[in-house]
Amino acid sequence: MEENLSLKERMAEAGFTQAELAEAVNADLRAAGYEGSVSDRTVRNWLTGKTRWPHRRQRAALEAVFNCPAVEMGFVPRRGEPSSPDIPATEETVLRRHFFSVSTGVALAPVAQQRVGASDVQRLLSKFAVLIASDHRYGGKITIETQASALAGEALSLQARGTASQRVRGALYGCAASFTSSAMWAAIDGRRFDAAQRHFDRASSLAVMSGDPTIQFRIWSHAGSLYRHLARPADALAANDVARNLPIARRDPMFASLGHARHAAIHGLTGDTRAVRQALGHAQDALRQADPNEQRPMWLNAFYDQAELENLALAAYLSLGNYEEAEAHAHRSLALVRPEMRRTRAITTTRLAHAQLGQGDLEPAVATAISVPTDPVGQHPRVLGMLSDFGNALHIAAPKSPSTRTWTEYVHASQRNPQ
């Protein structure tokens, strides 16, 4: 197979990722009355040369997106098939020409461009709200990552295919950046760190174009978390400092609190107890000062509160090996966590088991670990990894204890009878 470099270059010029091009092609297919069945795998097959000549409808959609014949995108017609078939102007082709003339600005017909407004932005944000809710219930799923990337593609498609005010254009870039940041977080949560880095590179450039400091804060704060999970504390501190030094963190204590709390979790990796305590103190002070009635982005309202601050403190003290302090924060977090935050509850419970084990409380630690639901949050990559680490630490600490046998039997039974 020969790589399709022409298509790759055109995608780069247009700023399309694979998922975003798939969404753009699907938008055209749906406008023409067909099912939008193109996926990022389809686009990958085009790029690698596995598919050298797409289906006729897909070719027509690609030609509308890039405003050039399929052969100029590097596709090779099958033997005996014309490169530009003479298709009569049926209702399908008329509809497609109309759709792209009004939504992309391509001069296919003298029809006015579609006006993109605040209602289009609100529609995207409504979809985003559903995605955020799913993320906080389960998290880490590749489907969430894919859906977030597709939403970003939808925002960029609107950006490219319609006329809009400068404010709306900024909002669309902001949507694309925020959605890509959610894809980044899903990849971090799912331990797909290479994908997370790619999303970060994309999201950071979109955030700059949006001019929205709240989105820039989110992306750089996520970058700090990415590097923390990769055990790169110096990079994590530097990235989180970018977030903490943005004007929004000085203007709104809620953003400042999150920045300090995540800084504490990073300092835990460095073994700096004083820095952890100082950062947590700043985080708590800022959270007390935050006006609960102030309007903030949905992604921040969806997860950050006293329970999350306690959870980040728990992570910091676990890293320091201060298990008694970690357990206290775990209990406070579990008492406050919202019912819908199922993934967060599972992660906090697993961390509590580690804190109890660190203090030598084998029986309570095993009971806590067993209390983590096996499905669906128990299948979360982070939870699975933490429970596996728990089992390894338990076998090292007390290989022949009754509690260790109980845990081993539980694991074997769970593997035989997954829910």
Side-chain angles (χ1 to χ4, degrees):
M1 294 184 294
E2 186 175 345
E3 186 179 6
N4 188 336
L5 296 177
S6 296
L7 179 61
K8 185 176 181 180
E9 289 172 3
R10 289 186 181 274
M11 286 176 62
E13 289 172 3
F16 280 129
T17 64
Q18 292 181 21
E20 290 163 358
L21 177 57
E23 177 57 32
V25 171
N26 284 333
D28 172 69
L29 289 169
R30 288 191 291 267
Y34 299 109
E35 181 182 357
S37 57
V38 173
S39 66
D40 56 349
R41 177 178 293 182
T42 309
V43 177
R44 185 163 58 251
N45 288 342
W46 295 340
L47 289 168
T48 60
K50 184 176 182 180
T51 301
R52 303 187 68 194
W53 191 239
H55 185 275
R56 177 176 61 84
R57 291 171 184 165
Q58 294 176 355
R59 293 200 310 274
L62 280 164
E63 289 172 350
V65 169
F66 289 111
N67 191 30
C68 69
V71 291
E72 291 185 15
M73 291 177 252
F75 293 114
V76 181
R78 298 185 186 92
R79 183 175 300 177
E81 184 172 350
S83 60
S84 298
D86 184 16
I87 303 173
T90 61
E91 183 179 354
E92 170 195 339
T93 55
V94 170
L95 178 59
R96 175 172 275 118
R97 288 174 62 84
H98 172 75
F99 175 78
F100 270 89
S101 64
V102 298
S103 62
T104 66
V106 176
L108 298 175
V111 183
Q113 282 189 302
Q114 177 188 6
R115 184 72 178 175
V116 180
S119 61
D120 297 289
V121 174
Q122 190 56 50
R123 177 178 53 81
L124 288 171
L125 291 175
S126 297
K127 293 182 180 181
F128 187 46
V130 174
L131 189 66
I132 288 287
S134 178
D135 178 50
H136 287 299
R137 279 197 301 272
Y138 309 117
K141 288 188 173 183
I142 197 165
T143 52
I144 293 175
E145 181 186 345
T146 303
Q147 288 166 9
S149 292
L151 273 179
E154 191 173 339
L156 291 173
S157 295
L158 283 172
Q159 180 74 261
R161 296 176 181 180
T163 61
S165 67
Q166 189 61 39
R167 183 180 63 82
V168 170
R169 288 207 178 279
L172 287 172
Y173 277 125
C175 284
S178 193
F179 303 158
T180 306
S181 184
S182 286
M184 174 186 174
W185 181 253
I188 294 170
D189 220 17
R191 293 302 189 258
R192 298 180 294 276
F193 296 124
D194 288 345
Q197 183 67 61
R198 290 194 297 271
H199 290 309
F200 167 63
D201 294 341
R202 180 71 168 148
S204 57
S205 62
L206 289 169
V208 171
M209 288 188 282
S210 77
D212 187 338
T214 67
I215 295 166
Q216 294 178 45
F217 179 97
R218 185 183 193 218
I219 290 164
W220 282 101
S221 185
H222 278 175
S225 296
L226 169 62
Y227 297 131
R228 173 165 66 90
H229 287 295
L230 287 170
R232 292 164 51 183
D235 291 334
L237 289 170
N240 200 53
D241 269 336
V242 174
R244 296 198 310 150
N245 290 327
L246 287 167
I248 189 64
R250 296 191 295 272
R251 188 167 66 246
D252 187 340
M254 185 71 82
F255 284 88
S257 178
L258 176 57
H260 288 308
R262 284 183 165 164
H263 228 54
I266 298 166
H267 276 305
L269 293 178
T270 69
D272 191 337
T273 300
R274 180 178 175 276
V276 167
R277 293 192 185 281
Q278 186 178 52
L280 289 174
H282 291 324
Q284 191 65 70
D285 290 343
L287 189 59
R288 289 195 191 101
Q289 295 168 21
D291 181 357
N293 298 316
E294 186 167 337
Q295 188 174 4
R296 297 184 176 91
M298 72 175 75
W299 59 263
L300 183 63
N301 292 332
F303 88 100
Y304 190 64
D305 53 16
Q306 185 67 44
E308 180 61 16
L309 196 162
E310 299 289 351
N311 195 24
L312 288 165
L314 160 60
Y317 282 111
L318 271 182
S319 296
L320 289 172
N322 186 337
Y323 300 114
E324 185 176 352
E325 190 82 22
E327 181 176 3
H329 285 288
H331 287 301
R332 287 199 285 270
S333 181
L334 289 171
L336 296 169
V337 69
R338 286 171 263 178
E340 66 271 19
M341 306 288 279
R342 298 174 63 184
R343 175 203 56 186
T344 298
R345 180 174 292 277
I347 290 172
T348 305
T349 303
T350 307
R351 285 174 173 164
L352 171 58
H354 277 272
Q356 292 169 327
L357 178 61
Q359 297 173 79
D361 298 332
L362 303 186
E363 189 173 344
V366 169
T368 299
I370 288 175
S371 73
V372 176
T374 56
D375 187 58
V377 291
Q379 301 305 311
H380 186 285
R382 282 173 68 187
V383 176
L384 283 174
M386 293 163 66
L387 288 174
S388 176
D389 291 342
F390 171 83
N392 293 336
L394 179 63
H395 279 88
I396 292 171
K400 297 182 180 179
S401 75
S403 296
T404 303
R405 286 198 300 274
T406 299
W407 176 252
T408 301
E409 291 166 3
Y410 168 75
V411 170
H412 289 165
S414 299
Q415 291 172 345
R416 287 196 305 269
N417 303 299
Q419 294 183 4

